[in-house]
Amino acid sequence: MNDRERHDAGMTVRRKVLGDAHVDRAIAGTDAFTADFQDFITRYAWGEVWTRPGLDRRVRSCVTLAVLAALHHDEELALHVRAALRNGLSPQEVAEVLLQVGVYAGVPAANRAFRVAREALRQEPGEA
């Protein structure tokens, strides 16, 4: 797959996972300073990793939630909680992932993540 095909495949997955509204805002906010980064995440995070056949999107969402929660990346965690719902996880499954975080990354990390996730789950489903 060449860079253009990887970018196109990545954009398709990115839109399905994060929603058109979020991706449209990210694209609209792209400027000369952020353009290379936007291209990078579209081609590699979305076009290389999220398109791989080894894990389905539900599992990728679980892994993503756990890592973001453990690393205290709250803004990205909120975004990916909503994305996980689009990928077929229920709110209870999100909570199960965060319980797992509590055991392996610590109760403070999970406590914070539950707070972020609860707020994200209160938002409209289409918001990203």
Side-chain angles (χ1 to χ4, degrees), residues 26-42:
I27 291 169
T30 301
D31 57 22
F33 185 69
T34 62
D36 288 340
F37 180 70
Q38 286 296 318
D39 179 60
F40 171 76
I41 61 174
T42 300

Side-chain angles (χ1 to χ4, degrees), residues 2-51:
N2 67 35
D3 281 349
R4 182 77 243 160
E5 292 167 330
R6 190 175 299 110
H7 185 276
D8 292 346
M11 189 58 74
T12 298
V13 173
R14 189 177 179 189
R15 286 184 176 283
K16 286 180 182 175
V17 172
L18 300 179
D20 287 330
H22 172 80
V23 175
D24 289 344
R25 281 191 306 275
I27 291 169
T30 301
D31 57 22
F33 185 69
T34 62
D36 288 340
F37 180 70
Q38 286 296 318
D39 179 60
F40 171 76
I41 61 174
T42 300
R43 284 187 295 127
Y44 291 100
W46 299 106
E48 284 284 339
V49 176
W50 276 83
T51 60

Side-chain angles (χ1 to χ4, degrees), residues 48-65:
E48 284 284 339
V49 176
W50 276 83
T51 60
R52 292 179 57 82
L55 298 173
D56 65 25
R57 289 191 190 143
R58 285 176 45 84
V59 173
R60 288 190 192 282
S61 280
C62 290
V63 171
T64 302
L65 293 175

Side-chain angles (χ1 to χ4, degrees), residues 82-113:
R82 294 184 298 273
L85 299 177
R86 272 192 286 289
N87 283 336
L89 271 72
S90 68
Q92 185 56 41
E93 289 170 317
V94 170
E96 289 297 326
V97 170
L98 300 181
L99 283 170
Q100 196 80 7
V101 168
V103 171
Y104 290 97
V107 171
N111 187 40
R112 181 182 189 128

